[in-house]
Amino acid sequence: MVMKAVVTVFLLLNSIGTLPIFIALTNGTTFRERARIACVAGTAAVVLLLGFVWSGSMLLTFFGLSIPAFSIGGGIILFRIGSEMLNASVDLDRALRHIPESITRRSSAIVPLGIPLLAGPGSIAVVMGLTMGKMRDLGPSGISLAIAIAAAASIAVWLVGSHLIARINIKSVSELLTRLSGFFLVVLAVQMVLNGWREAM
C-alpha cells in the first residue's frame, strides 16, 4: 500500500516532465549547486503537501465536504493532469517565457521549481484525496512517508536526468517519458473516480 502511494505521488510530482525546465533554470551551475536547488525545491513541495495531509480532515469538516466527493474531485483533476502529460502539451519555451527574468537570476528553488511545478493545486487535491480515500488506512504518517520518498526520488530524477539528458535531445526524451507518466496518471485518476463513486452509492 505504501509503495502504491509512493508511485502515485511520484507520478503526480511529474519530475520527469519538468526535467527540461529544471535543466534550463539551472543551466551553467555546478552539480553541487543543482543538488542544493533540487533539495530546496523538494523540501518546499514536501512541506506544502504535508500541511494539507495533516490538516485535510479538518478542512473537509470545516467546508462540509464528503470523502467520496473529494476522491472524485481529486480524480478529475488528476485525469486532467495526466491527459495533458499524455498529449505532451507542456511546451518548454512557453513555460520559460512565463517565468520572470528576475526569478531565473535568483535561486529558483522554491518558486517555480518547488511550487507549483512539483507541488501545485492538483497535487494538493489528489494527496488529500489519497489521505481521505482508499489509502486512508495508511494514515497521515504513511502518506507523509510516501510523499517524502516520492520527493527524494523526484530529486534524484532531476539530478541524474540533468546530467545525462543534457547531452542528447532533451525535448524528444522528455516527451516520451512524460507520455508514459501521463498514461499511468490517467489510469490512477479513473480508479480514484470509481472508488469515490462506489463509496457514494
Side-chain angles (χ1 to χ4, degrees), residues 11-178:
L11 293 176
L12 186 64
L13 293 179
N14 191 23
S15 57
I16 296 174
T18 56
L19 177 58
I21 298 179
F22 175 78
I23 294 175
L25 291 178
T26 58
N27 185 38
T29 61
T30 64
F31 179 82
R32 183 174 181 178
E33 181 64 14
R34 287 200 305 271
R36 186 193 70 80
I37 294 174
C39 288
V40 173
T43 300
V46 168
V47 169
L48 178 66
L49 294 179
L50 290 186
F52 283 92
V53 167
W54 288 93
S55 63
S57 59
M58 291 184 292
L59 290 176
L60 289 180
T61 301
F62 179 79
F63 289 105
L65 303 175
S66 66
I67 293 174
F70 210 92
S71 180
I72 294 174
I76 293 174
I77 294 175
L78 188 61
F79 184 87
R80 179 180 178 182
I81 295 173
S83 297
E84 291 177 353
M85 293 169 62
L86 192 59
N87 295 326
S89 59
V90 177
D91 183 75
L92 176 60
D93 295 331
R94 183 180 61 187
L96 289 177
R97 282 198 298 268
H98 290 288
I99 300 175
E101 184 180 355
S102 59
I103 291 179
T104 61
R105 288 198 301 263
R106 302 192 306 268
S107 172
S108 54
I110 297 178
V111 178
L113 290 175
I115 305 168
L117 288 183
L118 279 183
S123 304
I124 294 170
V126 174
V127 165
M128 286 184 64
L130 294 177
T131 306
M132 301 295 132
K134 282 294 184 181
M135 294 186 185
R136 61 178 177 269
D137 291 340
L138 289 175
S141 298
I143 298 295
S144 298
L145 177 61
I147 291 174
I149 295 175
S154 297
I155 292 173
V157 167
W158 273 356
L159 294 179
V160 175
S162 64
H163 179 70
L164 297 178
I165 298 182
R167 301 181 179 181
I168 56 180
N169 190 330
I170 298 175
K171 187 173 182 179
S172 61
V173 174
S174 175
E175 286 185 357
L176 173 62
L177 297 178
T178 299

